[in-house]
Structures are given as C-alpha cells and as structure tokens.
Amino acid sequence: MPSGDYVQPEDLTEPSELEARAKRLERQLHRERSVRQEAEAITERVTRELYDKQQRLVLVAIVAKAANEASGIEDAIATCLEAVRAHMSWRLGHLWLLDEADEMVSTDVWAGDPVRDAAFRAASRGLRFGPGIGLPGRVLAERTAVWMSGRGELSRLPRGIAVDAADLRTALCFPLFSGSDVVGVLEFFADRELKPDAELVTLMMQIGTHLGRVVERQRAADTLLHQATHDALTGLPNRVLILDLLTRSLARQHRNMDYRTAVFFIDLDGFKEVNDTLGHAAGDRVLRQVAARLSTVIRPQDTLGRLSGDEFVIVCEALTEEHPVVAIAERLGTAVREPIEVDGEQFLVTASVGIALAEDSDAAVALIEQADAAMYRAKELGRARYEIFSDELRERIARRLDIERALRGAIERGELRLHYQPEIDLRTGAIIGVEALLRWQRADALMMPGDFIGLAEDTGLIVPIGRWVLNEALRQLGIWTADEAIAEKPWISVNLSVRQLADPELMPNVRSALADHRADPSQLLLEVTESVIFDDAQAGLTVLTALRSLGTEIAIDDFGTGYASLSYLRRFPASVVKIDRSFIVEIDKDPRTRSIVEAIVTMARALDLSTVAEGIETAEQLAVVRQLGFDTGQGFYIAKPIPATEVARLLRAPRPFAGLVTSQS
Amino acid sequence: MKGIVFSLLEHLVVSEHGEETWETLLEASGLDGVYTSLGSYPDEDLFKLVGAASEALDAPADDVVRWFGRGAMPLFVERYPQLFSEHDNARSFVLTLNDIIHPEVRKLYPGAIVPEFGFDSSRPQALGMDYFSPRKMCAFAEGLLLGAGVHYGETISIEQPKCMNRGDQRCRLEITFSQKT
C-alpha cells in the first residue's frame, strides 16, 4: 500500500502542531473555568441579594406582627428593636418617645447586651433632647433618618464621652411616624465603622411607620383611659377614678390605724339658677372656675373630683386628726363664696358641703353616700355650710330607709287612704268640688303627705301611689255619682307630681281609670304645680294638652310660688287657678299681698280661668277672698279634709256652707 | 462540604502547581472533579484529595490543610473585599467571624455547617480562640489565620494547647499578633 495515499497519525503529531493544540485546549479549559467561576459569582450575588431581600421581608413581617399584636407600646418596640438589631448585627438599639413638651425623652426600652452596654444605658437615662439637639433631636427636626459614622463625628454628640467609652463607631437614628408627626425615634449603634446603606435606611423608615402606629394606638388608648376616668369639662377625676382612689385609701387606712380617710361632698347652691338664666355654656364656665378654686384649697395629697353636674368630691387621705377636716371645709366655703365673673357678670355661688369620716369597715360607695347625706342635711339647714355625717344623721337615714321599706308595701297592705277637702262656691256655699288628699295609716300613726311624699318622689314610688290615688278617687266619685241623694255632683281633684307627668304610662293609666270607673272626665280635675313647666316647658305642656284632650280639667296648683312666666301661663291648658295659701294667709293683713292677689284674679278672669283660694283659715280671710271675687274657696275654716263617708253626708245636704257665705256677705 | 471549598482548592492547586497536578490529584483520589461552588459534596472527597496531596508531597495532611487555608485567604480577599476593608488589623477581622462572616456564609449556603468559635479578647495583642467543628479542621483555621496575617502585613504565631484531633473536647488556639513593621 503506498503510504502517501493516507494521512498517517504521525503526520498530525508534529511536535509543533501538538503543542499548539494542547495550548488551545488549555486556553479552552481556562476559559471554561473562568466562565464557571463567573457564573458562580453571579449566582452568589443573586443568592445573597435574594437572601437579604427575604430577611428584610421577614424583618418587616416581624415588626408588622409585633405592631399589631402587642398589648403595650414598650413590648412591641422591644421586640422590634431586638429584631432590627439582630438583622443588622449592630450592637445596641434604643427607643426615644416624644413627650408633651415636644422633646425626645429617653425610655428604658433597649436591645442588646445589658451588661456590656450598662454604662452607655446609664449615660442615656433621663436625657431629653429638643429639636436639633443630639441624634434624636436631629431626627425630630429633620424628620428623616440620620446616619453617622466615625469616632470623630460620634464623639461630638451630647453623649460623645459615653459613645467613646463604649467604642461605638456608627449610629443610625430614624423617626417613628404617626401620620406626618414624629412621635418617637429609634437609635442603633454599631461598634464598627459602616458606610451609609441606602437600602437599610429605606427599610428602617418603613419600620418607623409601622412602629409609629403602635405609638399612636397606645396614645389613643391612654387618652381613652383618661377619658374614661376623667370628667371632660373640668379634667378632674370622675366617679370611676374617685371610687378607685377612695377604695385604695380605705385599704391603706385598714393597714394603718392612725390614718383616717375623709370624703367631702360639695354641691353648689343656686347653680341651677345660673344655668337657667345664663345658659349651659355659662354654667360650664362657672363649674370650671369653681373646680379651679377648689383645687387650690386642698392639700397636695388630696384628690378633687367631679361626680356630675355641680357635685364635686374631695378625698382626703391619711388624716391624723379631725382638725384639718374643719379647716378644709372652711377654706372650701370661702373659696367658692368669692364672686365669679362670667360674661362680664358677677355671680355669687355658695357651696353646701357634707363630710364623712371613714370608719374602718366603710366601703367607698357607702362613704360617698354618707357625705352626700351630710351635704343634703347642710342644704336643709340653710345652705352655704358644712355638716359632718354623724350617728344622728345615720339614724335619720335609717329612718328614711325604714319608711321607704314600709311604703313599698303600703298599697298591698291597704294602708293608704284618701281624705277629701270640700271646695265651695263662694257665692252659694254649695260644694262644687273635693280635693283628694293622701293619708297613710301606718300602724297607729296617720301619716300626712309631708312625711312621705318627698321620699316617694325620690324613690319613684310616687308612680304606683299616684296610680292608686287616681283609681281610688274615681272609684269614690262613682259611688257619689250613683248616690241619688246627692243632687249636685262635685268634681274631684287629684294632684299630679312632676315625676308622674314624666311617666310614659300616665296617659294610658288615666284613660283606663276613667273607663274602669265609668267616670265623666270633666268631673276629674288634675292639679299640677307651675314647676311642671319649669324643668322642661315644652314636654310639660305637651303632657297637659294630652290630658286635657281626654276631657279632664287641669288646675294650676300653688299658683304664685313658682317661676312660671306669664307667657307660659297663656299657653297652659288649664281651666282653674289655685292661688297659693301663702298669699291667703297674708291677704287680710298685708295690702301689697292683697294687691298682687287682686291682679292675679283679674288676670285669671281675663284668661277665662276659674279661681280657687286655698288655705282659708279665718273668717277675715274668707271675707277678703269673696271681696276680691274668687269663684271657689277651700280651707280649714270651711272644712278640713275628712273621710269619704263624712263628705257624703255633706254632699247630701244642699248648700251645707250657705251659712258661711251669707253671714259674710 | 460546600462546593466553594473544592472550588478554592482547585483554584489554588491550578494556579500554584498547574492543571496537570489537579488532574493527578483527582485521578489519585478516584474522583471525577465535577465541583461547582453552588453544590454540596461529600466531606470524604476533600479528605481524599488532601490524602492524595499528602502522599504526593510526603507531608502530613495537616500541613496540606494549613497550606490550603493560608493560600485560600487571598482568594477570599479577591471575592469578598468588603469583609476585609472595614478592618485595619487581623485581630479585628478575626473577631468578626461569628457575627459577620459566618452569617454571610449562611446567606449563600443555607444549612452550611460552619465551625463555632469562642473568643477571649482580653489581651490586646493576642486572642484565645476556641474551635469546635465535627470536621476537626482546626488546621484549616490556622492556615486562614496565617493568611489573614499576610493580608494585614502582620506576623501571626499560633499555639494549640488543645486539639480535637488529640482527643480534646474542642481545639484551643492561642494567637499572638505581631506589631506591624
């Protein structure tokens, strides 16, 4: 075989050619290795970035979770502070919060090793920085993160010496935002010198917004707590907080027998008039002034609170003798008595003060009630004075409670009675009406309305009692109506209290009582006092108009004692005016009284109202009221309130009092 | 063992002894040599390579590992310059191992087993360093320490009063840093 026809392997293994080929392969290998390393480097970078990004997401998630779940601001921020510190591998973190003075105040919330950082923490304790001062102050003023590195720069900070001593090299401080307000600052320190990291700063600003929400929520909660325990008008502690303080004070008294707790119950005299004449806004200003004055006369350890309206309470703690109680009471009285100026007008306000000294076993609520009772007694005794709750007062209250308990069962036990006082026609002497008056046969004693009606009003018992009175009176009216021996059927008048008028059941009750006894509504005269339209004129007038629409008659009782203005009188749906007995008593002696009454009678006649003179006790009084032209007369001189059977006897006789009116005329 | 270690070893062998030597080591170890820094490979592979090198050089395996550690340092400097630039001396750099460097390693290689170090930094020109790792590669740590000294222009001397390879619970390295000249 000719060798030249084939390319032999030897031909390709020329040393130079092999060498070139090996070199090429080596270059190729080197290139492949470089490509691999390049690819590895890229992957590393991407992996690291991904890791960092993930860690940031984890950090933000931790912060958001802590922000949402934490019960208190310090817990939440402590958790986040440590998470952020660990994320950055920095040495320590610290929280600053803005206070009312708009300064950043160092808190006790830290992250990092407490032992290693003890000196630096101690150097930061109690510090406060205004805008622009120190790191927190700079963040407060600039409203953005501050990054500082290098010992030189850091040592110029207000805490420079401590920063140096702790060998801190980098600081990052950023704001906590609530809306657009900086409410706090987080600061972090590293013990290495680190260049500003824009991504980290962005992340921290994001965290600052999360944590700002926590601060905001806490502030709102604090405000709510304050609102729940303080009176909005005066900023004083309210009943809730006063009871709490008092309970604690009583517990301390229990532990230390030398201490006593006293409660002052203060009620302003005549405050209602200020409110009524000047309006509530002025009344509120008076209350604020009174609150300010009261707070200046108490001792630093005492607490002033407002219960409601014009009722204030002072809790005096740790009294070692009784003397200060009297001194405080006198100072209170003097402080309130100074004229108060509102809207350029001066007002004189006085205070009735009740004081209760705690016995060992007293509960907070009971003590306030005792002070209240003593205050009530001070009012009874003429206002503008103080009374100390005593055993005597305790007995009075016990008696009152006793009456209340007994009164609750009085209707069921059939102890209530009605007596009737005749009202006579002053021209003919005929009985034209009778007023139903309540009596309570309690064991052997016959109790008069003055003994228990006030209590019935206070306790609301007046409503069932009033219902019984109405039914009983109409039942009696039915008997007289059916009595053929009685020619002239009288009206029957029944008193309605303000409390009854406010009872939504009043209308249905009156309607069903009229129906049950088949009574003629026009025979029922409902007596109300002027005070009905005093508290809430429109509501009072509405109820009276509704009652009138049932066909009943309305009388204004005790006329002349209240404050009803004539313009209300014009709208009052009444047909009868009963002039108060206080006028009648004087009518034959005091010419001025006589003139007033004369004017009232003239006016009533002009308004087409029938007039009744109440409380006629003498022949002279009867003579004058007849002269003045009263239509009807009522009083002891004519007839006392008497049981129904006796009234029936009088009713059967025609004009039983004719002798009175004829002999006088 | 993380691929980065094989990658560094390959890089070091090739640059100091040429392609042939790396091939020879692989052949002698019976390994295919497919390593990338992204993967994980049996610890045994590394020990085989070290064993082969030890045999070829007729030198103790620890000396090979120490050489590797010392030689790997410049490669770390090349790849991660920022970890070094924040320090001006080896001691300060070494102290960041637990807090900075190994966390960085974990970023890249979740689950990487890195040695735990304990430091006694009470003396200014020295460091007491406890080493614990199931791989017992304290010699690698020694090499790296020496390499760090080279980088910062310092001479570092290391004594090892305790060693896991001698049956101790953990290794103790007493490191002395020389003043820069």
Side-chain angles (χ1 to χ4, degrees):
Chain A
M1 262 194 177
S3 62
D5 290 328
Y6 298 96
V7 177
Q8 296 299 314
E10 293 87 342
D11 299 338
L12 296 172
T13 53
E14 285 285 323
S16 60
E17 214 175 315
L18 277 174
E19 210 170 301
R21 184 155 184 187
K23 283 259 188 282
R24 219 166 39 239
L25 282 170
E26 263 180 39
R27 279 202 305 276
Q28 201 177 327
L29 182 60
H30 183 73
R31 194 164 58 241
E32 288 298 331
R33 181 172 285 133
S34 298
V35 166
R36 193 189 82 210
Q37 284 172 349
E38 176 85 25
E40 286 173 356
I42 290 169
T43 311
E44 265 190 22
R45 203 184 65 233
V46 172
T47 307
R48 191 184 303 111
E49 281 171 5
L50 194 63
Y51 176 87
D52 284 344
K53 202 167 280 173
Q54 241 165 10
Q55 286 305 102
R56 282 170 187 176
L57 287 175
V58 167
L59 181 65
V60 170
I62 289 172
V63 168
K65 186 165 179 284
N68 288 330
E69 292 178 358
S71 52
I73 182 172
E74 311 222 324
D75 287 350
I77 294 185
T79 305
C80 299
L81 213 51
E82 177 53 30
V84 172
R85 189 203 65 76
H87 172 82
M88 304 193 297
S89 300
W90 284 33
R91 185 161 132 192
L92 65 92
H94 182 210
L95 167 70
W96 296 71
L97 286 177
L98 194 72
D99 75 350
E100 293 84 9
D102 272 344
E103 290 186 334
M104 283 295 165
V105 180
S106 174
T107 69
D108 274 330
V109 181
W110 292 84
D113 183 343
V115 177
R116 186 184 50 189
D117 302 331
F120 185 72
R121 290 187 181 195
S124 303
R125 191 160 298 140
L127 289 183
R128 48 189 310 128
F129 292 130
I133 318 281
L135 270 178
R138 267 189 64 187
V139 172
L140 173 61
E142 294 169 19
R143 307 164 51 74
T144 188
V146 173
W147 184 293
M148 216 179 251
S149 63
R151 301 188 75 155
E153 207 183 342
L154 286 175
S155 64
R156 282 192 296 274
L157 287 171
R159 280 173 294 167
I161 294 169
V163 167
D164 261 355
D167 196 22
L168 302 174
R169 311 287 183 86
T170 305
L172 168 58
C173 198
F174 57 90
L176 306 182
F177 279 112
S178 166
S180 59
D181 298 331
V182 178
V183 291
V185 153
L186 291 191
E187 62 175 0
F188 290 91
F189 289 93
D191 40 21
R192 326 185 283 287
E193 213 165 288
L194 299 169
K195 284 190 218 37
D197 178 341
E199 266 187 64
L200 186 64
V201 168
T202 307
L203 178 66
M204 292 303 130
M205 293 295 282
Q206 199 180 337
I207 285 170
T209 304
H210 274 298
L211 291 181
R213 271 183 17 234
V214 178
V215 177
E216 185 183 14
R217 212 168 53 218
Q218 180 72 32
R219 295 253 151 102
D222 289 348
T223 310
L224 274 182
L225 182 64
H226 189 269
Q227 280 170 355
T229 53
H230 288 78
D231 162 45
L233 177 65
T234 59
L236 294 174
N238 65 10
R239 179 182 290 272
V240 175
L241 188 54
I242 285 289
L243 278 176
D244 187 47
L245 287 169
L246 187 53
T247 303
R248 285 163 205 252
S249 180
L250 291 172
R252 275 193 291 279
Q253 173 173 332
H254 190 65
R255 288 194 294 274
N256 188 336
M257 299 307 279
D258 293 339
Y259 283 3
R260 271 191 110 179
T261 302
V263 171
F264 289 68
F265 198 108
I266 300 150
D267 189 283
L268 301 184
D269 305 317
F271 175 71
K272 198 172 176 322
E273 283 76 1
V274 175
N275 246 357
D276 287 339
T277 43
L278 280 189
H280 286 283
D284 286 351
R285 284 198 286 280
V286 169
L287 288 176
R288 273 199 289 265
Q289 286 198 33
V290 168
R293 284 184 191 182
L294 292 177
S295 60
T296 61
V297 298
I298 59 175
R299 304 171 310 159
Q301 63 266 45
D302 301 336
T303 308
L304 170 68
R306 178 171 171 240
L307 294 190
S308 65
D310 56 343
E311 291 176 347
F312 293 89
V313 155
I314 296 170
V315 176
C316 286
E317 289 198 56
L319 293 168
T320 48
E321 48 181 337
E322 277 192 28
H323 170 69
V325 173
V326 174
I328 292 168
E330 275 165 3
R331 282 208 303 275
L332 289 176
T334 315
V336 175
R337 235 184 329 268
E338 287 292 307
I340 291 178
E341 203 177 294
V342 172
D343 297 342
E345 279 194 65
Q346 284 204 336
F347 287 89
L348 286 173
V349 175
T350 55
S352 295
V353 180
I355 305 164
L357 287 159
E359 300 296 337
D360 200 33
S361 58
D362 284 334
V365 174
L367 201 59
I368 289 182
E369 282 172 1
Q370 288 175 6
D372 188 9
M375 181 281 294
Y376 196 77
R377 184 73 186 139
K379 285 235 191 257
E380 280 180 352
L381 293 175
R383 302 174 155 202
R385 54 181 292 157
Y386 67 88
E387 280 296 312
I388 299 179
F389 187 81
S390 59
D391 288 342
E392 188 198 331
L393 202 48
R394 193 189 299 276
E395 276 164 32
R396 281 173 60 93
I397 291 168
R399 245 190 338 266
R400 205 172 138 88
L401 279 174
D402 191 36
I403 294 175
E404 185 188 332
R405 256 193 307 276
L407 189 58
R408 282 188 190 279
I411 297 174
E412 288 81 61
R413 290 192 298 270
E415 293 173 357
L416 297 183
R417 316 246 178 288
L418 285 184
H419 283 189
Y420 302 90
Q421 186 171 35
E423 295 166 279
I424 65 163
D425 184 327
L426 288 175
R427 280 171 293 272
T428 65
I431 300 178
I432 55 169
V434 292
E435 181 175 0
L437 294 163
L438 186 61
R439 300 290 182 264
W440 177 18
Q441 186 68 51
R442 191 181 176 211
D444 295 337
L446 187 68
M447 297 180 73
M448 307 301 272
D451 300 329
F452 63 92
I453 285 297
L455 183 76
E457 292 258 2
D458 290 350
T459 55
L461 284 171
I462 193 71
V463 171
I465 289 173
R467 196 157 53 229
W468 179 86
V469 169
L470 184 64
N471 275 284
E472 176 61 17
L474 290 177
R475 189 185 66 82
Q476 191 57 57
L477 185 65
I479 291 170
W480 291 330
T481 306
D483 189 337
E484 286 175 1
I486 299 171
E488 299 285 328
K489 310 298 182 193
W491 75 55
I492 196 155
S493 53
V494 170
N495 293 280
L496 288 183
S497 75
V498 176
R499 180 75 185 254
Q500 282 172 280
L501 284 169
D503 175 20
E505 291 299 304
L506 178 67
M507 280 297 292
N509 285 339
V510 173
R511 198 181 288 123
S512 64
L514 287 168
D516 290 351
H517 302 286
R518 293 193 188 81
D520 174 0
S522 68
Q523 296 286 101
L524 178 62
L525 180 65
L526 296 169
E527 297 192 7
V528 298
T529 61
E530 291 163 87
S531 58
V532 168
I533 52 164
F534 189 74
D535 284 334
D536 185 345
Q538 198 48 55
L541 291 175
T542 304
V543 175
L544 293 177
T545 306
L547 287 170
R548 188 75 198 264
S549 72
L550 294 177
T552 66
E553 301 290 331
I554 307 285
I556 309 172
D557 201 7
D558 303 337
F559 187 82
T561 54
Y563 306 88
S565 76
L566 293 177
S567 73
Y568 279 127
L569 191 65
R570 190 166 47 83
R571 295 162 54 194
F572 219 108
S575 49
V576 178
V577 179
K578 298 182 83 168
I579 311 302
D580 191 65
R581 62 186 64 242
S582 60
F583 292 101
I584 307 302
V585 163
E586 308 246 307
I587 203 163
D588 58 327
K589 301 189 188 85
D590 180 13
R592 286 168 57 100
T593 303
R594 188 187 156 125
S595 305
I596 291 170
V597 174
E598 195 168 6
I600 294 172
V601 173
T602 307
M603 179 193 70
R605 195 169 293 138
L607 291 170
D608 206 16
L609 295 167
S610 166
T611 48
V612 180
E614 294 182 285
I616 299 169
E617 293 180 0
T618 64
E620 291 75 20
Q621 288 165 6
L622 178 61
V624 177
V625 299
R626 290 186 65 212
Q627 272 173 26
L628 290 180
F630 273 92
D631 299 311
T632 311
Q634 180 184 0
F636 276 24
Y637 181 71
I638 301 164
K640 291 180 181 173
I642 44 179
T645 46
E646 292 176 39
V647 178
R649 242 193 326 268
L650 290 174
L651 286 172
R652 288 190 196 108
R655 298 168 60 191
F657 301 103
L660 280 179
V661 293
T662 46
S663 67
Q664 294 280 322
S665 55
Chain B
M1 187 68 77
K2 293 297 163 189
I4 176 78
V5 176
F6 293 92
S7 202
L8 289 169
L9 184 61
E10 177 192 359
H11 192 119
L12 194 60
V13 170
V14 169
S15 62
E16 290 201 7
H17 301 284
E19 302 281 2
E20 287 301 319
T21 312
W22 181 242
E23 284 304 317
T24 310
L25 286 178
L26 287 175
E27 270 172 31
S29 315
L31 300 168
D32 61 9
V34 180
Y35 301 111
T36 90
S37 71
L38 308 171
S40 287
Y41 306 93
D43 286 3
E44 200 52 37
D45 284 14
L46 184 67
F47 299 140
K48 280 181 186 165
L49 285 165
V50 168
S54 165
E55 211 161 289
L57 294 166
D58 194 18
D62 275 1
D63 286 0
V64 174
V65 173
R66 203 172 289 115
W67 163 83
F68 175 33
R70 185 182 166 134
M73 208 45 150
L75 303 179
F76 281 130
V77 175
E78 197 180 304
R79 289 189 185 200
Y80 312 107
Q82 75 282 2
L83 293 180
F84 295 85
S85 60
E86 286 170 14
H87 306 277
D88 60 359
N89 63 79
R91 186 175 177 276
S92 151
F93 165 75
V94 169
L95 280 170
T96 63
L97 272 172
N98 281 333
D99 292 337
I100 310 281
I101 297 174
H102 285 159
E104 283 293 318
V105 172
R106 288 205 182 86
K107 286 185 190 178
L108 291 177
Y109 310 114
I113 300 165
V114 293
E116 292 167 20
F117 296 105
F119 290 109
D120 168 12
S121 56
S122 56
R123 291 159 298 152
Q125 292 298 320
L127 263 184
M129 183 169 119
D130 287 322
Y131 167 97
F132 176 84
S133 166
R135 293 193 183 108
K136 304 181 187 178
M137 285 178 65
C138 53
F140 190 61
E142 264 186 54
L144 286 169
L145 286 167
L146 295 170
V150 173
H151 175 74
Y152 288 103
E154 300 171 30
T155 312
I156 286 178
S157 65
I158 302 166
E159 281 177 32
Q160 207 176 337
K162 285 184 187 169
C163 183
M164 295 174 79
N165 293 312
R166 299 198 300 261
D168 291 314
Q169 199 66 31
R170 49 187 56 227
C171 305
R172 174 72 173 192
L173 285 76
E174 294 293 347
I175 312 158
T176 313
F177 300 86
S178 74
Q179 296 282 9
K180 269 190 229 180
T181 48

